[in-house]
Every structure is written in C-alpha cells, then in structure tokens.
Amino acid sequence: MPEQRAPPAEWDLAPAVEPVAAADPEPDSDVPRDVREYKRFSKMDGAQYDRVNEFLRDRTYITAREWAIARLCADFRTETGVEMTKIGENLPELVPFMTDTYSPQAVNQARSAFEDKVRKAGATFLYGAMCDFFTADELDDLMYEVTEVAKFLLEVEGVDLAVEEELAAEERISTVMRDVRSASDELRHDGTECPNCGHEFGGD
C-alpha cells in the first residue's frame, strides 16, 4: 500500500485567517475584521487579473476567478457552510487582482466550476498515467513539472514550504505514482490472452 499522505488542507501550518475573539469589539468599519486581516494573496499586490488569468490558462484548466474563490471558500468555511455572502461582498479586499464584488450565487458557481475542472483533470491525468502512454521516466518528468506549478500557486497564496517538506512531498507523490503505474499494469494484463501465441498474462 502506498504511504498515506496528509490532505493538502493540513500542509498549511500558518492559517491565513486568525480566529477572532467573540469579545473583541468591531472597529468602525464596514469590512469585517477577518477580512481585513486576510493575507493569503498579499504577495500579489499590484497584480492584474488578466496576467494572473493568462498564467493559469497556460498551465492549468482553472481561471484566476476560480482559483481565488476556491481558496476563499476553503478559508471561510464554517461549521454551517461557506460564507459566500462575505466572500462575494468583500472580494476586492480579499484578493488584490479581483476588482468586482460577487453575488453569493456567482461565488457558488465559481466554486462548482473549480470542483468540476479538478475532477475532470484528475480523471484525464490518471488515465494518462494508467494507459501506458507515458514511460516511467516520462511520468516522473510530468509529475515534477505539475508539482512545481502546484507548489508555486501554494507559495503565492502564502504557504511557506520548507525545502525538506517539498522533497518529502515530492517523494510521496512519486511513490504513489509508481504504485499507480504498477497497479495499472496488472489491471491491463490480468487475464489477457496474447493474440499471437495464446499465452495468458496474469497479474504477476
């Protein structure tokens, strides 16, 4: 069995939203305190939406809008659900490259679009890894490339990844992909009869 990896939500040890004490008075401001203190995208001050969108379009299936809102939905999740009204009304304050407010419905649509694209991209990638289109070395190169893009997005969001953590994560991912490739070999050949000699291939 491959080593069980911690879910991405557990990688960020420094939350971008600090808990707000219930007794703290709210300053004279229309912007909630947790919104004012949100620093997730602070490294992108001055960034333009079109430039961010172009970068993502070249390397992923998601748009800048979907990326930002998916991150916000994860950060502003409560026990009763996602604070979509807060996200939409304060979007320009939360994300430097977003300039318009959104309705709760628009926030939900962007989140749903992100989820759909991740699911479809995951199925596409896994099929590519399992169908024997890539050699083992090519798959390693592919995993390195996509991991670098993912790490860059995390770093832009404010996640501080130590070198040791990066190396450990890459090794865990490589181990999982080797197991996927091995399992797919067994799946493709288990019980398959050679059309030339009639030999039956087993799982081994």
Side-chain angles (χ1 to χ4, degrees), residues 15 18 25 28 34 48 59 64-65 80 92 98-99 103 123 125 140 144 148 174 187 195:
E18 295 294 337
D28 294 333
D34 53 351
Q48 298 296 316
R59 296 163 178 83
R65 176 184 75 114
T80 57
M98 300 298 291
T99 58
S103 68
F125 172 78
D140 281 344
Y144 174 79
E148 287 300 300
S174 296
L187 181 65

Side-chain angles (χ1 to χ4, degrees), residues 28-41:
D28 294 333
S29 173
D30 293 334
V31 180
R33 179 178 173 183
D34 53 351
V35 171
R36 294 197 313 272
E37 295 181 350
Y38 189 78
K39 304 300 182 185
R40 179 71 75 178
F41 292 96

